[in-house]
Amino acid sequence: MPVFASSLTATGVFWACLSLAAAILSCSGFYLPFWIQGALFNSTEVSFGSFRRCSYPRMKDDGGVQIVHECGRYTTFRDIPSVSWQVTTVTVGIGAATSLLMAFTALAACCVADVVTKRAARILGLVQVVTGVVIVIGGAIYPNGWGIREVREVCGGISDSYYLGTCQLSWSFYLMGAGVVMLFLCSFLSLWASRIKPHSYRI
């Protein structure tokens, strides 16, 4: 009867679980549109992500303005109102997807023997570092778009690149930041994740 085994050490199992948690935080932070928060017409709370927005004005047939109290993404990639936000969407999206792929690979090693060797674990850890750096770069580019009209309307009319005016950073941005910190920690733990050396495969 085949034996159900793991190629990971106890540290490796923790690494795999932490990798999954980091991926969930990174992906959730990327998708949820609560990166910055402000108020429209001094009463309606408005939130922005890089490609989604909550609560936005829409012109009515009679020429008035109606506030739509829901979250949604921009219709097309080109509709994202800032080139910086477009770059952020691509970079952070790639980073979040890669972190999820790394997490699934690490979890597979928890259940199946000979999936991840010491060398492979270190390569996965290196990819996690690169993934974290890519997300950080995307997050650092995002504030360059704070000077666009949509943001100025909800940030007191005084926001500009890397200056939020009356708005503030919101919780999903911090969620993504926590995911990045965990990715860096995962890369460190990957050094002791596997018990299998590259030459020790069984035939």
Side-chain angles (χ1 to χ4, degrees), residues 15 102 105-106 116 119-129 187 190:
W15 164 68
M102 295 301 100
T105 303
V116 175
R119 181 179 300 165
R122 290 172 182 176
I123 292 173
L124 290 174
L126 178 61
V127 174
Q128 287 177 317
V129 169
S187 68
S190 69

Side-chain angles (χ1 to χ4, degrees), residues 13 35-37 69 80 94 117 156-157 182 185 191:
V13 173
W35 292 24
I36 59 174
Q37 187 176 53
H69 296 280
I80 296 175
I94 290 173
T117 64
M182 291 171 69
L185 178 58
L191 298 175

Side-chain angles (χ1 to χ4, degrees), residues 43-122:
S43 60
T44 303
E45 286 191 359
V46 177
S47 298
F48 293 94
S50 65
F51 68 101
R52 300 182 73 222
R53 177 178 179 175
C54 290
S55 299
Y56 50 91
R58 181 170 60 191
M59 294 295 295
K60 297 192 293 186
D61 293 336
D62 60 5
V65 178
Q66 174 188 14
I67 302 298
V68 180
H69 296 280
E70 62 183 30
C71 299
R73 65 178 178 82
Y74 294 101
T75 307
T76 67
F77 183 77
R78 289 186 176 183
D79 288 333
I80 296 175
S82 166
V83 173
S84 297
W85 288 14
Q86 292 174 355
V87 173
T88 296
T89 299
V90 172
T91 54
V92 177
I94 290 173
T98 304
S99 71
L100 199 59
L101 178 61
M102 295 301 100
F104 287 149
T105 303
L107 287 174
C110 286
C111 306
V112 183
D114 300 340
V115 170
V116 175
T117 64
K118 288 181 179 293
R119 181 179 300 165
R122 290 172 182 176

